Amino acid sequence: MDEDEWLDRHGLRPDERGLDEVRALLVAQIRLERESQGYGDTILMKLCCVQLFLAALLDDVLLIWSAKTASWDADRSIDIELLCAGGLEQTKTYLSGHPAQESQAALKRLLHCEGTGDFDEFSPAEQSAYYLAYYS
């Protein structure tokens, strides 16, 4: 299934059942991409991350991080802002209190990006509007 078919099937804001399918597809694509760069579809992975971003559930932050870090191509395709649907401060708080080792790596990257100014003009609402316009 490609990006257009997935978007036609679920739209940008899937319902709860659709979000479960988004997560399952993303996990499968992450596995493929980790096996060998290029096996996964990083464009489809980004779309799944956008769908999760628009759902704005903190529990999806580490799944999005896993997608972003699946390969060099995935890292370049999946925007760091996609981790922060709940806001930068809320995401940093969530990651700093999460026991998973990956949470500290994600937090370190967020802090670095914040320090370089990547989040100076960031707001979840504006980022959402950008993705809604991009995919329409």
Side-chain angles (χ1 to χ4, degrees):
M1 179 169 298
D2 70 12
E3 175 190 30
D4 291 330
E5 293 169 325
W6 189 255
L7 193 55
D8 287 344
R9 181 175 178 180
H10 291 288
L12 280 175
R13 296 183 186 266
D15 60 18
E16 189 58 41
R17 192 180 108 256
L19 285 173
D20 288 340
E21 290 181 28
V22 169
R23 291 180 190 105
L25 176 63
L26 187 54
V27 166
Q29 291 297 314
I30 290 166
R31 185 175 11 87
L32 288 170
E33 190 65 13
R34 287 190 190 278
E35 285 176 14
S36 184
Q37 186 168 326
Y39 281 20
D41 183 338
T42 57
I43 293 171
L44 185 55
M45 289 169 68
K46 179 177 181 171
L47 174 57
C48 290
C49 291
V50 168
Q51 290 171 313
L52 294 176
F53 175 88
L54 293 172
L57 301 172
L58 279 172
D59 288 340
D60 289 321
V61 169
L62 289 177
L63 179 56
I64 295 168
W65 175 251
S66 182
K68 182 167 181 55
T69 59
S71 71
W72 187 87
D73 285 345
D75 189 55
R76 297 299 171 256
S77 296
I78 298 169
D79 306 319
I80 191 72
E81 291 86 357
L82 288 170
L83 297 173
C84 300
L88 179 60
E89 293 305 317
Q90 294 86 340
T91 303
K92 290 188 313 187
T93 299
Y94 173 79
L95 291 171
S96 67
H98 199 282
Q101 185 176 10
E102 299 84 20
S103 65
Q104 296 312 304
L107 179 59
K108 183 178 178 181
R109 176 81 71 87
L110 278 180
L111 292 171
H112 172 77
C113 291
E114 182 181 27
T116 62
D118 291 348
F119 286 94
D120 286 353
E121 302 295 320
F122 174 79
S123 83
E126 288 181 22
Q127 197 72 25
S128 294
Y130 167 78
Y131 289 123
L132 290 168
Y134 180 82
Y135 285 101
S136 15

